[in-house]
Amino acid sequence: FTFLIGVLLAFLSESFSDNVLDTTLNLAHQFTPGMIGICILFILLISFLAGIIPALIISGFNPLEVVKGTFSRKVKSSYSKVLIIFQYTVAIVLLICAIFIQRQSGFLINYDMGYNREGILEISNTGLDTTQLDGFKAKLLEIPGVELVSFSCGTPLNGGNNSSYEQDGEQFSFQEFFVDSAFFKIYGITIESFDITPSGKFYWMNAIHPDPATQVFYPWGGMEGEEKAQVAGIFSDFKIRNLYRDYNQLRIRWRRSNEEPWSIIVKMTPGTDYYGAAER
């Protein structure tokens, strides 16, 4: 009965928890046959323990002690000590867990990722081709609260594309973004351009070789007929994907007009009803 009441309370509080945690618990899908079997075994185990412990204590009593009243004092004293130790242990463990959760949440919320995260909506491009981008962008900018729109191949969230190759006996591995000018404004990423005029294909990088102003390289490792690219500057470093892994080398170039974007990035004005604007 206690288990059923607990399940009922969990379902009643599901929508509230979804709103507070900004997630979807979907409890109904958690009750798989395996999970139901574990619950039944757990209920049987608790029921057995709840019955066998009192039975063992009662069956082992001395009738003379019951008459004298010493039996009840012994049982109360033992149970009191066990319960007090158990309650303090649970309280201390929960307090430690709460402190860890609070510190971890504060770390994730306040960690400087190196780019702006406020009021940005990333949408996967599942149907727009290059001929529809300008019209779709104009429609998005008509929505109240929408400030900027960018089309890119790669964002800080998805990490872009990986390019690994060998050149002159040295291994290279880069994450790549192909972006437009609005991308830098939306994420607040700054560029320090070198005092050079790129003559052809060029990239901005966050980790480069010494003497960057003269650095040229093959983006794909010197494939036949491949054009060399030039390092045109450095952009302010930022984290991509998650904090578990460092991606030390990242390069960015302009997205060409014939390249279909993977992501549609919408920047909303601070103070806008983000959810309302997203629904529109």
Side-chain angles (χ1 to χ4, degrees), residues 7 10-12 14 18 24-33 35-36:
V7 171
F11 276 103
L12 291 176
E14 181 178 6
D18 286 345
T24 303
L25 297 177
N26 204 354
L27 293 179
H29 285 76
Q30 304 297 327
F31 283 90
T32 60
M35 179 59 68
I36 293 174

Side-chain angles (χ1 to χ4, degrees), residues 115-151:
Y115 61 88
N116 173 49
R117 296 183 290 174
E118 182 67 24
I120 296 176
L121 175 65
E122 292 187 16
I123 309 168
S124 296
N125 179 23
T126 56
L128 292 177
D129 59 36
T130 54
T131 63
Q132 299 170 305
L133 298 182
D134 291 339
F136 187 67
K137 181 177 182 178
K139 287 289 185 182
L140 289 175
L141 290 173
E142 292 175 0
I143 299 175
V146 174
E147 182 180 348
L148 293 167
V149 176
S150 173
F151 300 101

Side-chain angles (χ1 to χ4, degrees), residues 49-177:
L49 293 176
I52 197 66
I53 292 175
L56 290 174
I57 293 173
I58 293 172
S59 62
F61 75 86
N62 187 333
L64 186 59
E65 289 184 350
V66 174
V67 175
K68 291 180 178 180
T70 57
F71 174 78
S72 60
R73 287 196 296 272
K74 286 181 180 179
V75 172
K76 288 180 181 178
S77 176
S78 300
Y79 270 102
S80 297
K81 291 178 181 178
V82 172
L83 287 175
I84 290 172
I85 294 172
F86 177 74
Q87 289 172 349
Y88 274 105
T89 302
V90 171
I92 292 171
V93 169
L94 291 177
L95 183 60
I96 292 173
C97 290
I99 292 173
F100 270 96
I101 292 171
Q102 189 273 333
R103 290 179 62 86
Q104 184 70 5
S105 299
F107 173 81
L108 293 174
I109 292 171
N110 300 316
Y111 187 85
D112 183 11
M113 299 291 289
Y115 61 88
N116 173 49
R117 296 183 290 174
E118 182 67 24
I120 296 176
L121 175 65
E122 292 187 16
I123 309 168
S124 296
N125 179 23
T126 56
L128 292 177
D129 59 36
T130 54
T131 63
Q132 299 170 305
L133 298 182
D134 291 339
F136 187 67
K137 181 177 182 178
K139 287 289 185 182
L140 289 175
L141 290 173
E142 292 175 0
I143 299 175
V146 174
E147 182 180 348
L148 293 167
V149 176
S150 173
F151 300 101
S152 75
C153 299
T155 69
L157 190 61
N158 62 40
N161 193 29
N162 178 262
S163 173
S164 300
Y165 61 89
E166 181 178 342
Q167 181 177 328
D168 299 328
E170 189 175 355
Q171 290 289 338
F172 296 91
S173 180
F174 285 90
Q175 296 299 122
E176 292 185 312
F177 290 2

Side-chain angles (χ1 to χ4, degrees), residues 1-39:
F1 282 118
T2 305
F3 175 79
L4 293 177
I5 293 172
V7 171
L8 177 61
L9 291 175
F11 276 103
L12 291 176
S13 61
E14 181 178 6
S15 59
F16 173 77
S17 299
D18 286 345
N19 291 330
V20 171
L21 301 174
D22 191 22
T23 186
T24 303
L25 297 177
N26 204 354
L27 293 179
H29 285 76
Q30 304 297 327
F31 283 90
T32 60
M35 179 59 68
I36 293 174
I38 292 173
C39 291

